[in-house]
Amino acid sequence: MKIGVIGAGEMGGTLARRWREKGHTVRVANSRGPSAVKPFADAIGAEATDIYGAVANSDVVLLAMAFPVAATLPGDLFSQARDDLVIVDTSNYYPDVRDARISEIDHGMPESVWTSRQLGRPIFKAFNSIMFYALSEFGKPEGSSNRLAIPVAGDNSRGKSVVMELINDMGFDPVDGGLLQDSWRQQPSTPAYCCDYDAETTLRGIAAAVKGKAETIRDTLWREKYGQLFANNPAYADVHDAIITMNRSFNPL
């Protein structure tokens, strides 16, 4: 499969690497141009390109950027894309921490619905509810016990199947997160968000989400405790388990 990855940070870089290991053709881009991503692309056997090159002739494009960046992408970015291009959004909205406030989202619009409207294209929400460290370290063969799950929300069954196949290929159980309008159920501080659960528990978490509750947790308890965990700039591997424990404590299942 031909996959374009826009954003080569922790999430985009991890997914690009894993997909190359699985034999997919991967092109990597970021806002600074091909020369900025070439060392990383060369190291994993991918192609460095610009954001237009990441989209051209790709089967899948992964958006692994800070949440507000979608609104700044060129309006013609997808003008030459395949009609059946699958666009996957991995981003999360963190207002007053990293992101400026967005009125539509603060009044209830699911984050990826907002992103889809900025792009003018249908998209799928996936990989936003699992930490990059888990993607790198915790994949297991299909059928393994306690295999971690990743929900996918979106409105097109074919595209959703493509994303689910990629998730399974990486060593995780894909679960159906519903329509894109339902993707609020996997946003930050919901019961299914970054808790390293198996498929059955992830689906219970999605069903248990309560509209409006996660935003309150995100803006209070999460902000305080997350800041404490990273106060001394620890290595991420040293705090992953603590983050999972923290997230589970917000919404016990």
Side-chain angles (χ1 to χ4, degrees), residues 16-17 20 24-28 39-48:
R17 184 184 301 275
R20 274 299 301 135
H24 297 287
T25 299
V26 177
R27 286 175 288 185
V28 183
F40 170 71
D42 289 347
I44 67 170
E47 177 187 346

Side-chain angles (χ1 to χ4, degrees), residues 48-83:
T49 185
D50 61 13
I51 58 175
Y52 289 94
V55 171
N57 299 314
S58 289
D59 302 302
V60 175
V61 167
L62 182 86
L63 303 179
M65 315 166 298
F67 184 80
V69 174
T72 70
L73 292 173
D76 64 347
L77 178 59
F78 297 100
S79 62
Q80 301 300 315
R82 293 173 41 163
D83 290 340

Side-chain angles (χ1 to χ4, degrees), residues 93-162:
Y93 173 55
Y94 283 108
D96 300 331
V97 175
R98 181 196 61 197
D99 307 328
R101 287 278 175 179
I102 298 172
S103 177
E104 296 98 320
I105 298 174
D106 290 342
H107 285 86
M109 180 182 291
E111 295 169 13
S112 283
V113 171
W114 181 86
T115 297
S116 179
R117 293 186 179 184
Q118 307 312 302
L119 302 179
R121 300 276 302 210
I123 66 172
F124 298 85
K125 186 75 162 186
F127 301 109
N128 75 297
S129 61
I130 187 167
M131 312 299 282
F132 77 91
Y133 182 78
L135 284 171
S136 176
E137 303 296 327
F138 298 156
K140 292 183 177 182
E142 187 174 3
S144 299
S145 61
N146 299 316
R147 200 182 194 214
L148 302 188
I150 300 175
V152 183
D155 300 338
N156 176 274
S157 58
R158 187 203 73 84
K160 186 177 286 186
S161 294
V162 169

Side-chain angles (χ1 to χ4, degrees), residues 6-20:
I6 300 179
E10 292 168 338
M11 179 61 70
T14 298
L15 288 166
R17 184 184 301 275
R18 292 297 307 280
W19 282 329
R20 274 299 301 135

Side-chain angles (χ1 to χ4, degrees), residues 190-214:
T190 57
Y193 177 79
C194 292
C195 288
D196 283 4
Y197 286 141
D198 62 13
E200 179 182 356
T201 311
T202 297
L203 287 170
R204 283 202 289 121
I206 289 171
V210 176
K211 194 77 169 178
K213 179 181 177 181

Side-chain angles (χ1 to χ4, degrees), residues 221-234:
L221 287 172
W222 174 84
R223 189 178 300 179
E224 176 187 355
K225 293 187 176 183
Y226 195 84
Q228 291 170 354
L229 282 174
F230 282 93
N232 297 316
N233 297 314

